[in-house]
Amino acid sequence: MMMSSKRYISKLLLSLILIFLLSIPITAIPSRSPSRFLGNFAKHHKTTDTINKTYRYDIRYFTQTLDHFSFSNLPTFQQRYLISTDHWLSGGGGGLNRFGPIFVYCGNEGDIEWFASNTGFLWEIASTFGALIVFPEHRYYGESMPYGSREKAYKNANSLSYLTAEQALADYAVFITDLKRNLSAEASPVVLFGGSYGGMLAAWMRLKYPHIAIGALASSAPILQFEDIVPTETFYDIVSNDFRRESLSCFDAIKKSWEEIEVEGKKENGLLQLTKKFHLCQSLNSTEDLSDWLDSAYSYLAMVDYPYPSSFLMPLPANPIKEVCRKIDSYPEGTSILERVFAGVSIYYNYTGTVDCFDLADDPHGMSGWDWQACTEMVMPMSSSRNNSMFPTYNFNYTSYQEQCVKEFGIKPRPRWITTEFGGHDMRTSLKMFGSNIIFSNGLLDPWSGGG
Amino acid sequence: MMMSSKRYISKLLLSLILIFLLSIPITAIPSRSPSRFLGNFAKHHKTTDTINKTYRYDIRYFTQTLDHFSFSNLPTFQQRYLISTDHWLSGGGGGLNRFGPIFVYCGNEGDIEWFASNTGFLWEIASTFGALIVFPEHRYYGESMPYGSREKAYKNANSLSYLTAEQALADYAVFITDLKRNLSAEASPVVLFGGSYGGMLAAWMRLKYPHIAIGALASSAPILQFEDIVPTETFYDIVSNDFRRESLSCFDAIKKSWEEIEVEGKKENGLLQLTKKFHLCQSLNSTEDLSDWLDSAYSYLAMVDYPYPSSFLMPLPANPIKEVCRKIDSYPEGTSILERVFAGVSIYYNYTGTVDCFDLADDPHGMSGWDWQACTEMVMPMSSSRNNSMFPTYNFNYTSYQEQCVKEFGIKPRPRWITTEFGGHDMRTSLKMFGSNIIFSNGLLDPWSGGG
């Protein structure tokens, strides 16, 4: 017998909560300055072997409107999406058949195949629910390029101007509506999934398009990391705590290393020495580039500190922070801090041991679009506190943040727009009254949990 | 003693329901073809004496973002708004003082002062609630012109492209957020008001920005008049019924008049004769222009068939349809139908008796922007049925609708966008689960009640 639609939806969501594991990858966006985002340093080698071939899907394209909210005569573009009807058409999940739900992963700032291969949870539960799976790609990432090519899409502020969260959500709304119509699946409930920025999109989509999706699983989604909603130190404090809880001496070594780098860099031939010491491919131009590189490693490690081996950002062992600290702590007394720190971050950047030299400007997943997003609407203020943080002390300064954006893109951010459009300051009330069926999952070690 | 915020909000909304009268003007948008909209023929004389000077307000301007959803370097524009703090600052409504609510009228397709002077209900209840009153003007109408002037804003599809409901809602969201911050009135609940298209905006705003407004009073808001949600004949059937209930002979005379006009127009010098018979200022080019003019009169009469004298669209007596039919029916047997019909519509177009000749192209309230909106997202299909309607039989034909838009603006409409963005097909569920505190008020004589 068919369950009633309402009971079915409740059961579906309850089940999602019950079987939810920590297996959704926790991607994230450090934003101490506009140049911080997920992509940089995330994976050193451009290999394709991380695309897990065990998940079967078709790759298709949808003709998408470039500007949903205005009506100039702009060209359309091809939005890529992955689709799997294996479980849906086979009628899994107790004969639900074509009334099975549609699981939509809200693509975030990268190649959609990368996210698809790292969202095992969604694939694992799809058969239980007899769900259709779709992974629409976020505009301006992967292959979903307006104007026909990445080069043209990223040409200037004009061509980039449609790279916004609202436009991406509208893409998903139009895509899902069209897909359901084409499949005569109007009765199938839609459940949204997403991690990090994709999790923000999933939560916001449920708030803004409740007629399209019945619920969302927003994993590690820092929708409160805007303006003054959470303390700006939250992110780096959590990263630092993740290291301190493994080892205080490890925390201390990292905390001291920044000054060592400064001192070393100021010596004659200091930058060259640092280049050699850290096995960099290109000569260092400033100590800041090196500090950024190290900062990124620690931040990303905190985001993917899974208790099992993973290769989402980089090939990593289980509990990678424990491994990093074990390395740092394993040196005999008197070993230079920089040597120890280098050995530590090598766990992150070179766990496979195949890297000859490190390239600080590497962006394997094509995510530099985040720079643009951080310089327009995604202004997430971050500071590093003197006491709790192992990072260099840093106070968020909006003026210099804005200056950097004007310099890079010729554009001023709108730092208050996101909370105006999506809310945030009194989120508890909004969610209670309207945003039902949104599961915000946050691992407490995850630095984004503070804003999530 | 202060009421708790929650109890206060409930009381406020309950009171709004209880004292709600039919006094909110019911503006509307006939859309049998893209050239149908509120403004045309709505008021013949360009006089200022209808601006009711009994409502006191200040006129101010807010620097507004032209494109909220994209980030190209566009110029800002000055959005006009009317504000009255008389009741708010004087602490009316039981000492609520600066925690009194903020009443926001969502400006629609015309000069905001016109709407302000015709929304007596809002002004009347403001003192009871100790409410701040604001009337932000809709972009591209009245004085709120992007690019500095109406001429430049209406130049072409490019300059018009930001004239959309979503952009207007974002204007209101940014404006309200900024206003509350500047007045340190973050705690003041916002209640939205609006009639017709403005009512649609109020309802949609409550759905899309629940963190900004606690409720909306959407008067005569046909948010279901899209795609196939309601039968396309609804609008003209209701108009026709409004006339039939007054007098069957009146209904019959009007129903026969269209053919008479056709026959007359085909005679030698027929168009000239019609021009004279209907006292038109310029010679008729086609009988269609005349039919449109008459059609508009009947449609608008149905929208403003108030039981008291009013001057919202035109200076009119109480129960104007009754008056129109009394005129049409008062002629002795044998009088030509066209003569009777002319006498009838003169109640609408010339109640004051001061008009020498009628100008079919008149647009006193500057609302031709609705043409653009109807040709982009506001595609509201309308037909006129053979049996129930007194209007010429007409079937909505999307192909020719689109052709006309391409011809006029070089742009194709997106007829499915509104329901994708705002919902509509399963509105009952959406409203039940998310759109709480929206009062949809519809007079049953109002032709928009079918889609509202």
Side-chain angles (χ1 to χ4, degrees):
Chain A
M1 220 183 77
M2 279 275 300
M3 261 184 280
S4 79
S5 154
K6 206 171 160 187
R7 263 193 58 211
Y8 170 62
I9 289 170
S10 303
K11 192 172 168 240
L12 171 64
L13 286 159
L14 190 67
S15 309
L16 278 176
I17 298 170
L18 292 176
I19 63 176
F20 177 66
L21 303 163
L22 270 171
S23 63
I24 295 205
I26 296 169
T27 71
I29 324 113
S31 301
R32 210 172 64 173
S33 75
S35 63
R36 305 255 152 180
F37 56 96
L38 172 60
N40 273 342
F41 323 120
K43 188 172 172 302
H44 195 79
H45 282 299
K46 291 179 196 189
T47 61
T48 54
D49 59 26
T50 54
I51 305 293
N52 192 327
K53 297 295 181 200
T54 59
Y55 304 134
R56 283 199 334 195
Y57 50 77
D58 289 337
I59 298 177
R60 294 190 196 151
Y61 297 84
F62 179 74
T63 302
Q64 193 59 267
T65 301
L66 183 52
D67 188 351
H68 295 279
F69 305 101
S70 303
F71 279 82
S72 38
N73 270 319
L74 293 165
T76 56
F77 71 98
Q78 295 301 304
Q79 179 176 26
R80 181 167 58 149
Y81 67 99
L82 318 178
I83 185 165
S84 165
T85 53
D86 288 359
H87 305 298
W88 200 53
L89 293 178
S90 69
L96 291 168
N97 208 340
R98 291 181 64 123
F99 294 102
I102 301 177
F103 286 177
V104 178
Y105 181 91
C106 296
N108 36 325
E109 71 283 25
D111 187 299
I112 194 63
E113 290 200 87
W114 179 45
F115 295 116
S117 68
N118 281 283
T119 310
F121 174 63
L122 196 159
W123 295 96
E124 283 161 25
I125 63 169
S127 65
T128 312
F129 291 101
L132 175 74
I133 298 173
V134 275
F135 279 78
E137 191 165 60
H138 194 296
R139 53 169 57 199
Y140 288 86
Y141 294 101
E143 290 185 13
S144 300
M145 288 297 162
Y147 302 108
S149 73
R150 189 176 197 289
E151 200 192 345
K152 284 178 187 162
Y154 278 73
K155 196 175 166 198
N156 54 34
N158 243 3
S159 65
L160 276 166
S161 67
Y162 310 103
L163 170 48
T164 67
E166 299 82 43
Q167 299 279 7
L169 292 179
D171 285 344
Y172 300 149
V174 170
F175 166 72
I176 293 168
T177 305
D178 191 81
L179 183 79
K180 289 181 80 169
R181 191 186 298 124
N182 287 341
L183 296 172
S184 301
E186 278 88 351
S188 289
V190 170
V191 180
L192 306 166
F193 294 76
S196 183
Y197 169 52
M200 293 157 77
L201 291 176
W204 287 337
M205 177 130 194
R206 169 67 184 148
L207 281 168
K208 287 287 193 187
Y209 297 89
H211 52 287
I212 290 183
I214 62 154
L217 180 50
S219 179
S220 186
I223 57 166
L224 303 182
Q225 197 86 44
F226 293 92
E227 292 181 54
D228 54 356
I229 301 174
V230 296
T232 54
E233 303 82 19
T234 310
F235 181 90
Y236 282 112
D237 280 1
I238 298 176
V239 174
S240 303
N241 272 332
D242 289 351
F243 282 81
R244 184 159 37 196
R245 69 189 272 282
E246 294 296 350
S247 146
L248 187 60
S249 58
C250 173
F251 173 95
D252 283 338
I254 294 169
K255 196 173 169 92
K256 277 181 201 146
S257 69
W258 314 107
E259 208 193 325
E260 293 275 320
I261 290 169
E262 286 303 297
V263 170
E264 196 73 18
K266 284 198 182 115
K267 290 182 182 164
E268 206 182 320
N269 284 325
L271 289 175
L272 196 64
Q273 290 304 317
L274 285 171
T275 303
K276 281 181 186 163
K277 205 164 267 181
F278 283 88
H279 296 239
L280 306 180
C281 305
Q282 286 91 28
S283 293
L284 264 184
N285 290 321
S286 73
T287 54
E288 207 179 35
D289 291 348
L290 177 60
S291 296
D292 271 7
W293 185 69
L294 296 170
D295 176 328
S296 295
Y298 306 132
S299 300
Y300 290 128
L301 279 161
M303 295 180 217
V304 297
D305 192 24
Y306 306 128
Y308 45 82
S310 72
S311 62
F312 174 47
L313 296 180
M314 290 289 203
L316 288 174
N319 302 307
I321 291 183
K322 193 188 285 292
E323 295 304 315
V324 169
C325 283
R326 191 176 288 162
K327 266 276 185 237
I328 289 178
D329 290 341
S330 69
Y331 282 80
E333 221 171 314
T335 315
S336 89
I337 283 181
L338 295 188
E339 197 173 327
R340 292 162 64 196
V341 158
F342 174 70
V345 296
S346 291
I347 294 282
Y348 182 73
Y349 286 122
N350 190 20
Y351 184 63
T352 55
T354 54
V355 182
D356 294 327
C357 67
F358 299 97
D359 183 355
L360 302 198
D362 199 29
D363 176 16
H365 294 297
M367 281 168 302
S368 62
W370 188 259
D371 278 354
W372 168 262
Q373 293 192 257
C375 267
T376 49
E377 52 185 13
M378 293 293 170
V379 181
M380 304 168 92
M382 290 207 185
S383 301
S384 172
S385 61
R386 176 175 299 276
N387 294 326
N388 297 325
S389 167
M390 67 184 193
F391 295 92
T393 308
Y394 172 86
N395 284 317
F396 181 75
N397 178 329
Y398 180 69
T399 310
S400 66
Y401 187 101
Q402 180 177 289
E403 267 169 21
Q404 212 170 323
C405 293
V406 171
K407 199 173 144 199
E408 194 173 353
F409 295 108
I411 204 125
K412 280 185 189 173
R414 290 183 211 144
R416 284 179 160 149
W417 167 242
I418 285 288
T419 59
T420 302
E421 177 68 7
F422 298 112
H425 282 100
D426 192 17
M427 208 52 167
R428 207 174 287 272
T429 309
S430 287
L431 289 173
K432 199 171 156 194
M433 296 183 74
F434 314 98
S436 61
N437 298 340
I438 305 181
I439 304 168
F440 288 92
S441 74
N442 284 292
L444 290 183
L445 298 180
D446 172 15
W448 290 112
S449 61
Chain B
M1 215 182 84
M2 278 275 300
M3 264 184 278
S4 80
S5 155
K6 207 171 162 188
R7 262 192 61 209
Y8 170 62
I9 290 169
S10 303
K11 193 173 167 238
L12 171 64
L13 284 159
L14 190 67
S15 309
L16 277 177
I17 298 170
L18 292 177
I19 63 173
F20 178 66
L21 303 164
L22 272 170
S23 63
I24 295 204
I26 295 167
T27 71
I29 325 113
S31 303
R32 209 172 66 174
S33 75
S35 63
R36 304 256 152 180
F37 56 94
L38 171 59
N40 274 341
F41 323 119
K43 188 171 172 302
H44 196 78
H45 281 299
K46 290 179 195 187
T47 59
T48 53
D49 59 27
T50 53
I51 305 294
N52 192 329
K53 297 296 182 202
T54 59
Y55 304 134
R56 282 200 335 196
Y57 50 76
D58 288 337
I59 299 176
R60 294 190 196 151
Y61 297 85
F62 179 74
T63 301
Q64 193 57 270
T65 302
L66 183 52
D67 189 350
H68 295 279
F69 305 102
S70 302
F71 279 82
S72 39
N73 271 320
L74 293 167
T76 57
F77 71 97
Q78 296 301 305
Q79 179 176 26
R80 181 167 58 150
Y81 66 99
L82 318 179
I83 185 165
S84 164
T85 53
D86 287 359
H87 305 299
W88 201 53
L89 293 179
S90 69
L96 290 167
N97 209 339
R98 291 181 66 121
F99 294 103
I102 300 177
F103 287 177
V104 178
Y105 181 92
C106 297
N108 36 325
E109 71 283 25
D111 187 298
I112 194 62
E113 289 200 87
W114 180 45
F115 295 116
S117 67
N118 282 284
T119 309
F121 175 63
L122 197 157
W123 295 97
E124 283 160 25
I125 63 169
S127 65
T128 311
F129 291 101
L132 176 73
I133 298 174
V134 275
F135 278 79
E137 190 166 60
H138 193 296
R139 51 168 57 200
Y140 288 85
Y141 294 101
E143 290 185 13
S144 300
M145 289 295 161
Y147 302 110
S149 73
R150 190 177 196 285
E151 200 192 344
K152 285 178 186 161
Y154 278 73
K155 196 176 166 195
N156 54 34
N158 244 2
S159 64
L160 275 166
S161 69
Y162 310 103
L163 169 50
T164 68
E166 299 80 41
Q167 299 279 8
L169 292 180
D171 285 344
Y172 300 150
V174 170
F175 165 72
I176 294 168
T177 306
D178 191 81
L179 183 78
K180 288 180 81 169
R181 191 186 298 124
N182 286 341
L183 297 172
S184 301
E186 279 88 351
S188 289
V190 170
V191 180
L192 306 167
F193 294 77
S196 182
Y197 169 52
M200 294 157 76
L201 292 176
W204 288 338
M205 177 129 195
R206 169 68 184 148
L207 281 168
K208 287 288 193 185
Y209 296 89
H211 52 288
I212 290 183
I214 63 154
L217 178 52
S219 178
S220 187
I223 57 167
L224 304 180
Q225 197 86 45
F226 293 93
E227 291 181 56
D228 54 356
I229 301 173
V230 295
T232 55
E233 303 81 18
T234 309
F235 181 89
Y236 282 112
D237 281 0
I238 298 177
V239 175
S240 303
N241 274 330
D242 289 351
F243 282 80
R244 183 159 36 197
R245 69 189 272 281
E246 294 297 350
S247 145
L248 187 59
S249 59
C250 173
F251 173 94
D252 284 338
I254 294 168
K255 194 174 171 93
K256 276 180 202 149
S257 68
W258 314 106
E259 208 193 325
E260 292 276 320
I261 290 168
E262 286 304 299
V263 170
E264 196 71 18
K266 283 195 183 117
K267 290 182 184 163
E268 209 184 317
N269 283 325
L271 290 174
L272 196 63
Q273 290 303 318
L274 284 171
T275 303
K276 282 181 187 166
K277 206 166 268 184
F278 284 88
H279 296 240
L280 306 179
C281 304
Q282 285 92 30
S283 293
L284 266 183
N285 290 322
S286 74
T287 54
E288 209 179 34
D289 291 348
L290 177 60
S291 298
D292 272 9
W293 186 68
L294 296 170
D295 176 327
S296 295
Y298 306 133
S299 300
Y300 291 128
L301 278 162
M303 295 180 214
V304 296
D305 192 23
Y306 305 128
Y308 46 80
S310 72
S311 61
F312 174 45
L313 296 181
M314 289 289 200
L316 287 175
N319 301 306
I321 291 183
K322 191 189 285 290
E323 294 304 316
V324 169
C325 283
R326 191 176 289 164
K327 266 277 184 236
I328 289 179
D329 291 342
S330 69
Y331 281 80
E333 221 172 313
T335 314
S336 89
I337 283 183
L338 295 189
E339 198 175 326
R340 292 163 63 197
V341 157
F342 174 70
V345 297
S346 291
I347 294 283
Y348 183 72
Y349 286 122
N350 190 19
Y351 185 61
T352 54
T354 54
V355 181
D356 295 325
C357 67
F358 299 99
D359 183 356
L360 302 196
D362 199 30
D363 178 16
H365 293 298
M367 281 169 301
S368 62
W370 189 257
D371 278 357
W372 167 263
Q373 293 192 257
C375 266
T376 49
E377 54 184 11
M378 293 293 169
V379 181
M380 304 168 94
M382 289 207 185
S383 300
S384 171
S385 62
R386 176 173 299 276
N387 293 326
N388 297 325
S389 167
M390 66 183 193
F391 294 92
T393 308
Y394 172 86
N395 284 317
F396 181 74
N397 179 328
Y398 180 67
T399 309
S400 66
Y401 187 100
Q402 179 178 288
E403 268 168 22
Q404 210 170 324
C405 292
V406 171
K407 199 173 142 201
E408 194 173 354
F409 295 109
I411 203 123
K412 279 185 190 174
R414 290 183 210 143
R416 283 178 162 151
W417 168 242
I418 285 289
T419 60
T420 302
E421 177 68 8
F422 297 111
H425 282 99
D426 193 16
M427 207 51 167
R428 208 174 287 271
T429 310
S430 287
L431 289 174
K432 199 172 156 190
M433 295 183 74
F434 313 98
S436 62
N437 297 342
I438 304 181
I439 303 169
F440 288 92
S441 74
N442 284 292
L444 291 182
L445 298 180
D446 172 16
W448 291 113
S449 62

